[in-house]
PDB file of all heavy atoms in Angstrom:
ATOM      1  N   MET A   1     100.870  -3.226 -32.206  1.00  0.00           N
ATOM      2  CA  MET A   1     101.378  -4.198 -31.263  1.00  0.00           C
ATOM      3  C   MET A   1     102.264  -5.181 -32.019  1.00  0.00           C
ATOM      4  O   MET A   1     101.956  -5.590 -33.132  1.00  0.00           O
ATOM      5  CB  MET A   1     100.220  -4.945 -30.601  1.00  0.00           C
ATOM      6  CG  MET A   1     100.690  -6.118 -29.809  1.00  0.00           C
ATOM      7  SD  MET A   1      99.501  -7.077 -28.878  1.00  0.00           S
ATOM      8  CE  MET A   1      98.025  -7.036 -29.791  1.00  0.00           C
ATOM      9  N   THR A   2     103.353  -5.567 -31.410  1.00  0.00           N
ATOM     10  CA  THR A   2     104.261  -6.545 -31.975  1.00  0.00           C
ATOM     11  C   THR A   2     104.163  -7.833 -31.182  1.00  0.00           C
ATOM     12  O   THR A   2     104.230  -7.820 -29.956  1.00  0.00           O
ATOM     13  CB  THR A   2     105.716  -6.027 -31.931  1.00  0.00           C
ATOM     14  OG1 THR A   2     105.771  -4.791 -32.634  1.00  0.00           O
ATOM     15  CG2 THR A   2     106.668  -7.010 -32.557  1.00  0.00           C
ATOM     16  N   VAL A   3     103.998  -8.945 -31.881  1.00  0.00           N
ATOM     17  CA  VAL A   3     103.958 -10.254 -31.243  1.00  0.00           C
ATOM     18  C   VAL A   3     105.315 -10.909 -31.461  1.00  0.00           C
ATOM     19  O   VAL A   3     105.759 -11.074 -32.602  1.00  0.00           O
ATOM     20  CB  VAL A   3     102.832 -11.132 -31.837  1.00  0.00           C
ATOM     21  CG1 VAL A   3     102.878 -12.530 -31.262  1.00  0.00           C
ATOM     22  CG2 VAL A   3     101.480 -10.490 -31.579  1.00  0.00           C
ATOM     23  N   LEU A   4     105.981 -11.249 -30.363  1.00  0.00           N
ATOM     24  CA  LEU A   4     107.287 -11.889 -30.420  1.00  0.00           C
ATOM     25  C   LEU A   4     107.131 -13.339 -29.968  1.00  0.00           C
ATOM     26  O   LEU A   4     106.857 -13.600 -28.801  1.00  0.00           O
ATOM     27  CB  LEU A   4     108.281 -11.156 -29.515  1.00  0.00           C
ATOM     28  CG  LEU A   4     108.489  -9.671 -29.827  1.00  0.00           C
ATOM     29  CD1 LEU A   4     109.345  -9.021 -28.759  1.00  0.00           C
ATOM     30  CD2 LEU A   4     109.101  -9.509 -31.203  1.00  0.00           C
ATOM     31  N   PRO A   5     107.281 -14.301 -30.873  1.00  0.00           N
ATOM     32  CA  PRO A   5     107.106 -15.707 -30.500  1.00  0.00           C
ATOM     33  C   PRO A   5     108.165 -16.156 -29.494  1.00  0.00           C
ATOM     34  O   PRO A   5     109.289 -15.653 -29.505  1.00  0.00           O
ATOM     35  CB  PRO A   5     107.248 -16.459 -31.824  1.00  0.00           C
ATOM     36  CG  PRO A   5     107.652 -15.476 -32.841  1.00  0.00           C
ATOM     37  CD  PRO A   5     107.625 -14.121 -32.264  1.00  0.00           C
ATOM     38  N   LYS A   6     107.789 -17.091 -28.667  1.00  0.00           N
ATOM     39  CA  LYS A   6     108.691 -17.660 -27.656  1.00  0.00           C
ATOM     40  C   LYS A   6     108.539 -19.181 -27.670  1.00  0.00           C
ATOM     41  O   LYS A   6     107.633 -19.733 -28.293  1.00  0.00           O
ATOM     42  CB  LYS A   6     108.332 -17.138 -26.250  1.00  0.00           C
ATOM     43  CG  LYS A   6     108.437 -15.635 -26.102  1.00  0.00           C
ATOM     44  CD  LYS A   6     109.857 -15.186 -26.150  1.00  0.00           C
ATOM     45  CE  LYS A   6     109.945 -13.670 -25.967  1.00  0.00           C
ATOM     46  NZ  LYS A   6     111.251 -13.160 -26.226  1.00  0.00           N
ATOM     47  N   ASN A   7     109.427 -19.864 -26.935  1.00  0.00           N
ATOM     48  CA  ASN A   7     109.352 -21.305 -26.719  1.00  0.00           C
ATOM     49  C   ASN A   7     109.309 -22.088 -28.031  1.00  0.00           C
ATOM     50  O   ASN A   7     108.437 -22.913 -28.255  1.00  0.00           O
ATOM     51  CB  ASN A   7     108.152 -21.647 -25.831  1.00  0.00           C
ATOM     52  CG  ASN A   7     108.261 -23.027 -25.244  1.00  0.00           C
ATOM     53  OD1 ASN A   7     109.352 -23.561 -25.123  1.00  0.00           O
ATOM     54  ND2 ASN A   7     107.127 -23.594 -24.886  1.00  0.00           N
ATOM     55  N   ARG A   8     110.249 -21.778 -28.934  1.00  0.00           N
ATOM     56  CA  ARG A   8     110.431 -22.474 -30.221  1.00  0.00           C
ATOM     57  C   ARG A   8     109.249 -22.314 -31.183  1.00  0.00           C
ATOM     58  O   ARG A   8     109.083 -23.099 -32.103  1.00  0.00           O
ATOM     59  CB  ARG A   8     110.728 -23.957 -29.999  1.00  0.00           C
ATOM     60  CG  ARG A   8     112.045 -24.205 -29.307  1.00  0.00           C
ATOM     61  CD  ARG A   8     112.405 -25.667 -29.102  1.00  0.00           C
ATOM     62  NE  ARG A   8     111.843 -26.540 -30.096  1.00  0.00           N
ATOM     63  CZ  ARG A   8     111.022 -27.575 -29.806  1.00  0.00           C
ATOM     64  NH1 ARG A   8     110.669 -27.812 -28.572  1.00  0.00           N
ATOM     65  NH2 ARG A   8     110.577 -28.348 -30.763  1.00  0.00           N
ATOM     66  N   HIS A   9     108.423 -21.285 -31.003  1.00  0.00           N
ATOM     67  CA  HIS A   9     107.306 -21.039 -31.916  1.00  0.00           C
ATOM     68  C   HIS A   9     107.730 -20.091 -33.041  1.00  0.00           C
ATOM     69  O   HIS A   9     108.656 -19.293 -32.887  1.00  0.00           O
ATOM     70  CB  HIS A   9     106.106 -20.443 -31.179  1.00  0.00           C
ATOM     71  CG  HIS A   9     105.316 -21.465 -30.456  1.00  0.00           C
ATOM     72  ND1 HIS A   9     105.623 -21.878 -29.187  1.00  0.00           N
ATOM     73  CD2 HIS A   9     104.227 -22.177 -30.843  1.00  0.00           C
ATOM     74  CE1 HIS A   9     104.748 -22.796 -28.806  1.00  0.00           C
ATOM     75  NE2 HIS A   9     103.899 -23.002 -29.798  1.00  0.00           N
TER      76      HIS A   9
END
Side-chain angles (χ1 to χ4, degrees):
M1 170 177 33
T2 303
V3 175
L4 302 173
K6 299 290 181 190
N7 197 23
R8 294 182 29 238
H9 280 86

